[in-house]
């Protein structure tokens, strides 16, 4: 992240759009990258996520949230200075459409940012993250939520190239060290929640076994956050 801080040091941020903001997990980073920003708008298709994140940021100035489909942003053309999307491309029905919408609302010269975890070229501890994430995604799909496996790095680059940005460049983000025990406990507890989602469900025995093996893998192999790619370019 230090490299990114240096890279964005001169960019004022201005009006920032965080697409598929979820519970606003990336907003602290956006505020850190662009301390002089004018306003942040976080949008998400889930009304529940928007209600939650609204409450979480109720006491924060210069930030607003709205329910919106990334494929049909209710925002004016050329109205945003910085448009970002983080770890959400693999959640979208039509990533190209969403990215073109982000480009439409971005002003000419505006900064476009994609951050996305990828599945290839990881060390064994990072592979724990990739495999657990794919297991969670499979259970989400069973429950009717759009959650695909993560892309390869090459696939993310291809998607970013199709947007048609100027000065597009890529920065790989990697922290190969194991996460601390508090994070391990949180991941294990999320795995337990996912096991509960398929508990007693017919046809899910293999999926359940995979979850148990993955939980053991966290203890035996360790867990580190998977590498992700930042694609940064200008409209
Ligand atoms: C992994 S979560 C969000 C991650 C968040 N950006 C972060 O970094 O913490 C993916 C989000 O994509 C949202 N999403 C899926 N399809 C969407 C769409 N068409 N428009 C807007 N948001 C969408 C989901 O509701 C979910 O909150």
């Amino acid at each position: 992240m230090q490299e990114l801080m240096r890279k964005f040091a001169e960019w004022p941020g201005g009006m920032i759009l965080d697409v598929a903001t979820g519970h606003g997990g990336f907003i602290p980073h956006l505020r850190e990258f662009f301390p002089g920003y004018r306003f942040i708008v976080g949008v998400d298709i889930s009304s529940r996520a928007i209600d939650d994140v609204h409450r979480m940021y109720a006491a924060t100035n210069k930030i607003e949230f709205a329910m919106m489909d990334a494929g049909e942003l209710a925002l004016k053309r050329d109205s945003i200075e910085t448009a970002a999307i983080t770890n959400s491309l693999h959640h979208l029905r039509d990533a190209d459409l969403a990215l073109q919408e982000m480009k439409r609302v971005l002003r000419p010269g505006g900064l476009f940012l994609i951050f996305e975890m990828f599945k290839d070229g990881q060390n064994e501890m990072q592979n724990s993250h990739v495999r657990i994430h794919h297991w969670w995604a499979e259970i989400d799909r069973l429950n009717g939520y759009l959650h695909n496996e993560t892309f390869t790095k090459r696939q993310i680059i291809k998607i970013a190239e199709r947007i048609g940005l100027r000065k597009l460049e890529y920065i790989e983000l990697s922290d190969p060290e194991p996460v601390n025990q508090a994070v391990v406990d949180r991941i294990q507890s999320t795995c337990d929640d996912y096991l509960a989602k398929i508990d007693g469900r017919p046809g899910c025995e293999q999926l359940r076994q995979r979850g148990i093996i993955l939980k053991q893998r966290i203890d035996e192999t360790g867990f580190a956050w998977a590498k992700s790619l930042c694609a940064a370019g200008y409209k």
Side-chain angles (χ1 to χ4, degrees):
M1 287 290 177
Q2 286 309 317
E3 189 185 346
L4 290 178
M5 295 283 289
R6 277 195 297 278
K7 184 158 195 48
F8 301 141
E10 302 294 309
W11 187 258
M15 180 71 133
I16 302 176
L17 172 66
D18 185 34
V19 171
T21 195
H23 288 86
F26 202 64
I27 284 175
H29 294 295
L30 288 170
R31 296 174 82 195
E32 207 181 346
F33 292 152
F34 312 113
Y37 74 94
R38 197 162 75 249
F39 206 86
I40 296 177
V41 183
V43 302
D44 199 284
I45 202 164
S46 156
S47 60
R48 202 156 127 199
I50 290 298
D51 285 349
D52 291 347
V53 76
H54 225 284
R55 269 194 300 277
M56 288 161 65
Y57 282 89
T60 309
N61 289 329
K62 301 197 300 179
I63 191 154
E64 197 43 82
F65 297 94
M67 201 177 114
M68 251 180 239
D69 183 345
E72 199 178 354
L73 295 172
L75 294 166
K76 286 196 183 128
R77 176 180 295 276
D78 301 345
S79 58
I80 299 292
E81 269 87 36
T82 306
I85 183 162
T86 305
N87 285 329
S88 297
L89 292 182
H90 65 286
H91 283 263
L92 298 176
R93 196 166 301 285
D94 188 340
D96 288 324
L97 176 68
L99 296 172
Q100 285 305 324
E101 264 297 89
M102 288 171 66
K103 189 179 173 195
R104 177 184 68 80
V105 302
L106 194 63
R107 72 148 164 82
L111 175 64
F112 199 121
L113 292 173
I114 298 174
F115 292 84
E116 187 81 4
M117 157 187 172
F118 54 88
K119 63 180 172 186
D120 52 326
Q122 312 280 348
N123 72 24
E124 274 314 290
M125 285 191 291
Q126 291 169 320
N127 265 329
S128 296
H129 183 195
V130 172
R131 288 183 197 177
I132 287 165
H133 179 274
H134 288 177
W135 179 69
W136 290 342
E138 194 168 334
I139 295 172
D140 282 344
R141 290 198 298 277
L142 266 181
N143 288 316
Y145 296 108
L146 204 166
H147 191 174
N148 295 314
E149 285 198 357
T150 48
F151 295 105
T152 62
K153 185 176 163 185
R154 187 73 214 136
Q155 284 173 319
I156 299 168
I157 290 173
K158 287 265 173 222
I159 292 169
E161 278 172 353
R162 288 199 292 270
I163 306 170
L165 297 168
R166 290 185 304 107
K167 295 195 206 161
L168 184 59
E169 58 179 314
Y170 304 96
I171 301 133
E172 192 175 299
L173 306 166
S174 176
D175 182 358
E177 297 304 315
V179 297
N180 64 35
Q181 192 55 43
V183 176
V184 168
D185 293 345
R186 188 157 51 80
I187 302 283
Q188 289 282 18
S189 152
T190 305
C191 288
D192 290 337
D193 294 343
Y194 271 83
L195 279 171
K197 289 182 192 193
I198 50 172
D199 195 27
R201 196 166 162 160
C204 287
E205 189 46 33
Q206 268 195 355
L207 197 55
R208 204 179 77 80
Q209 281 305 328
R210 226 171 89 209
I212 291 166
I213 292 167
L214 283 169
K215 275 175 62 68
Q216 284 166 358
R217 183 192 165 97
I218 298 176
D219 293 330
E220 288 161 12
T221 308
F223 184 104
W225 296 120
K227 289 179 198 170
S228 57
L229 191 69
C230 166
Y234 298 86
K235 177 171 168 185

